[in-house]
Amino acid sequence: LREFFCPEHGECICHICLVEHKACSPASLSQASANLEATLRHKLTVMYSQINGASRALDDVRNRQQDVRMTANRKVEQLRQEYTEMKALLDASETTSTRKIKEEEKRVNTKFDTIYQILLKKKSEIQTLKEEIEQGLTEGDEFEFLEKASKLRGISTKPVYIPEVELNRKLIKGIYHSTLDLKNELKQCIRQLQEPTPSSGDPGEHDPASTQKSTRPAKKVSKEEKKSKKPPSVPASSSKLPTFGAPEQLVDLKQPGSEAAAKATSSHPNSASLKAKVLETFLAKSRPELLEYYVKVILDYNTAHNKVALSESYTVASVAEMPQNYRPHPQRFTYCSQVLGLHCYKKGIHYWEVELQKNNFCGVGICYGSMNRQGPESRLGRNSASWCVEWFNTKISAWHNNVEKTLPSTKATRVGVLLNCDHGFVIFFAVADRVHLMYKFKVDFTEALYPAFWVFSAGATLSICSPK
């Protein structure tokens, strides 16, 4: 209060006294002090609030940095998986193209080997005839000479002829141009990915709203354009098309109204086409080629139902005459007479074969490890976590998500299962002298997969086959 005291007049000149035109009294000084204290306390409260706000802002910045880091790492991992898949697809395409050319080379070389043997035999015959003529010319006895000469003169020889044999130029040219088209398409896709995208603004800004809005500039669309961009209506007849399982697990992903098809073609059109090429490649493979992916399947004792008897080597499952009294286990089937393979498959390509004996009530398939083990929904193909081919008396069906697809009958008693985890499909083959397609599922697998088996009728036996 010394700042408001006038030494000349000996009086206080604080704003309270000046307003009221009087000198400060002890009461007014006390009131001024209280007002200043209240002001400072209020200001201190505001500063505490601002400090807390600044701390929360700092924490928010760090949290956003962490979110950005996690998002970037997740996207990098997704990109790595996509590029790994593309590399595998390219490797598979290269292998197929190379194999076709090698087969053509082998075909032509086989013909050349045959021609070579014929020419070698022809040369030997001409050489023998030459030696006989030379010997006849040196014969001393005139009578013997005339006899030999008359015989040799009747033997005719023809000039050596090499038939026209060459590679199938059209086949090789087609393979090369297909590869060239694939390369150009890949270049175009990479070029489009490398094109600059619209900037999202100053990276130093931390506007919360800017992180939620799209960086792509808005485009005004006229009413006519809006009408033209409406999705085409699905024909009424499409509702009668046969479906099998969830839309993303259909074999034919190009059916009208398929949400999975629209999603696949809009987000990864090139990846979807490459996956289709890989699927066609495996459908065209012979049994020896499929056996290159052979895996040894062992049945898991802890999953076997009490009505399923297992062999000592755990490669044969059959219907038991008496309950097996297996010890309780959380993975054991308690409702359906089923058993799973011991090993699961998350990545790669795997193939195994199963021999069916008295195959009137049995099934072969795959399933997630999370499939139920109790209740009717634990049966193969009756849920969204399993896919199978089933023999029910004389009828053969493919099952998934409790939807049945009746298949043509076959006399083959051996089933081949090709599981491609990397490209998302499983194929069931009927194995005889050759392999024949029974059914295929195209699925984006989300969990590890186990070989799965179902046996029901007495005498039904499923035996895991060796590659030999």
Side-chain angles (χ1 to χ4, degrees):
L1 295 177
R2 286 196 300 270
E3 297 178 2
F4 304 101
F5 189 84
C6 179
E8 182 178 354
H9 298 88
E11 295 178 350
C12 181
I13 56 173
C14 69
H15 74 283
I16 299 176
C17 298
L18 292 175
V19 169
E20 298 183 0
H21 304 284
K22 63 180 181 179
C24 293
S25 65
S28 63
L29 290 176
S30 177
Q31 182 181 0
S33 176
N35 291 338
L36 288 174
E37 182 180 359
T39 302
L40 291 177
R41 288 185 180 280
H42 175 71
K43 190 171 184 179
L44 185 62
T45 303
V46 172
M47 293 178 68
Y48 272 118
S49 176
Q50 291 177 347
I51 290 173
N52 292 333
S55 299
R56 288 194 298 270
L58 290 172
D59 293 339
D60 184 55
V61 169
R62 289 304 183 196
N63 291 334
R64 290 188 182 185
Q65 284 182 330
Q66 183 68 17
D67 291 342
V68 169
R69 188 178 299 109
M70 293 177 62
T71 301
N73 291 338
R74 185 168 60 252
K75 292 300 179 183
V76 168
E77 178 63 21
Q78 291 176 353
L79 283 175
R80 187 191 66 79
Q81 294 178 358
E82 293 295 336
Y83 278 105
T84 300
E85 181 178 337
M86 286 190 286
K87 291 175 184 177
L89 291 170
L90 291 174
D91 290 342
S93 178
E94 180 186 3
T95 301
T96 302
S97 300
T98 304
R99 177 179 56 81
K100 289 180 179 179
I101 294 178
K102 288 295 183 182
E103 288 176 352
E104 178 63 16
E105 177 191 5
K106 182 179 179 180
R107 181 188 68 83
V108 174
N109 282 335
T110 301
K111 288 189 175 182
F112 275 125
D113 289 339
T114 303
I115 294 172
Y116 183 85
Q117 295 298 326
I118 293 174
L119 292 177
L120 189 64
K121 182 179 179 181
K122 184 70 175 177
K123 179 184 176 182
S124 177
E125 292 175 353
I126 296 175
Q127 184 72 22
T128 302
L129 181 60
K130 179 184 77 72
E131 292 175 357
E132 290 181 358
I133 293 175
E134 289 177 347
Q135 184 179 2
L137 292 174
T138 58
E139 188 67 42
D141 191 318
E142 184 175 355
F143 179 77
E144 290 182 359
F145 170 75
L146 292 174
E147 186 179 4
K148 274 190 177 182
S150 61
K151 290 182 180 180
L152 295 174
R153 185 177 59 182
I155 300 176
S156 62
T157 58
K158 295 181 180 179
V160 175
Y161 167 73
I162 301 177
E164 189 70 22
V165 180
E166 61 179 11
L167 293 170
N168 187 341
R169 303 292 180 183
K170 185 176 180 180
L171 172 65
I172 296 177
K173 186 177 180 180
I175 294 173
Y176 174 75
H177 282 294
S178 297
T179 305
L180 191 61
D181 291 341
L182 179 61
K183 184 186 73 172
N184 293 333
E185 185 178 354
L186 185 60
K187 282 184 177 180
Q188 183 178 1
C189 294
I190 293 175
R191 194 179 301 113
Q192 291 175 354
L193 289 174
Q194 293 175 346
E195 290 180 356
T197 55
S199 175
S200 59
D202 185 3
E205 295 179 357
H206 297 280
D207 184 9
S210 65
T211 61
Q212 304 295 329
K213 295 182 180 180
S214 173
T215 58
R216 183 175 297 177
K219 180 181 178 181
K220 295 183 179 180
V221 182
S222 64
K223 294 182 179 179
E224 292 77 7
E225 291 176 343
K226 288 181 179 179
K227 291 180 179 180
S228 63
K229 288 186 178 181
K230 289 183 179 180
S233 59
V234 180
S237 60
S238 65
S239 61
K240 298 180 181 180
L241 291 174
T243 58
F244 198 94
E248 66 273 18
Q249 292 153 341
L250 295 179
V251 174
D252 184 7
L253 294 182
K254 296 183 180 180
Q255 292 182 1
S258 173
E259 297 177 0
K263 183 177 180 181
T265 55
S266 61
S267 59
H268 300 288
N270 296 315
S271 177
S273 62
L274 289 175
K275 286 183 178 180
K277 290 181 180 179
V278 173
L279 176 58
E280 294 300 323
T281 299
F282 278 92
L283 289 174
K285 286 184 179 294
S286 63
R287 183 168 178 265
E289 291 174 322
L290 294 174
L291 287 174
E292 294 177 3
Y293 304 97
Y294 169 81
V295 291
K296 185 177 181 181
V297 175
I298 299 175
L299 301 177
D300 186 2
Y301 164 88
N302 291 324
T303 63
H305 188 273
N306 284 329
K307 291 183 179 179
V308 178
L310 302 179
S311 65
E312 294 182 358
S313 58
Y314 297 102
T315 58
V316 179
S318 59
V319 177
E321 295 181 358
M322 298 292 293
Q324 297 298 292
N325 294 323
Y326 295 128
R327 64 174 181 270
H329 195 278
Q331 299 299 320
R332 191 174 306 286
F333 288 101
T334 60
Y335 185 85
C336 298
S337 52
Q338 298 176 156
V339 63
L340 301 184
L342 179 63
H343 302 105
C344 63
Y345 306 108
K346 180 67 175 177
K347 297 181 179 180
I349 305 170
H350 315 279
Y351 178 77
W352 62 91
E353 291 181 350
V354 185
E355 184 72 27
L356 315 178
Q357 297 178 13
K358 199 175 181 181
N359 54 333
N360 52 350
F361 289 96
C362 60
V364 177
I366 59 172
C367 72
Y368 292 146
S370 60
M371 187 179 74
N372 290 333
R373 307 304 165 93
Q374 302 175 0
E377 66 275 8
S378 65
R379 184 171 169 183
L380 283 179
R382 272 61 172 184
N383 51 66
S384 60
S386 60
W387 301 258
C388 76
V389 172
E390 179 182 280
W391 280 255
F392 195 86
N393 205 354
T394 58
K395 183 176 71 171
I396 306 176
S397 304
W399 282 89
H400 170 65
N401 207 16
N402 205 27
V403 179
E404 179 183 17
K405 175 70 175 180
T406 304
L407 306 180
S409 61
T410 176
K411 295 182 179 180
T413 60
R414 180 173 293 197
V415 180
V417 182
L418 177 77
L419 172 62
N420 192 322
C421 301
D422 297 334
H423 305 107
F425 58 82
V426 58
I427 307 174
F428 294 90
F429 294 100
V431 181
D433 296 334
R434 295 188 304 171
V435 292
H436 304 276
L437 173 65
M438 295 183 67
Y439 205 77
K440 62 182 182 291
F441 296 93
K442 190 174 182 182
V443 189
D444 290 329
F445 297 117
T446 57
E447 300 180 31
L449 293 153
Y450 290 82
F453 311 93
W454 171 69
V455 287
F456 183 74
S457 63
T461 301
L462 301 179
S463 303
I464 308 299
C465 303
S466 66
K468 297 180 180 180

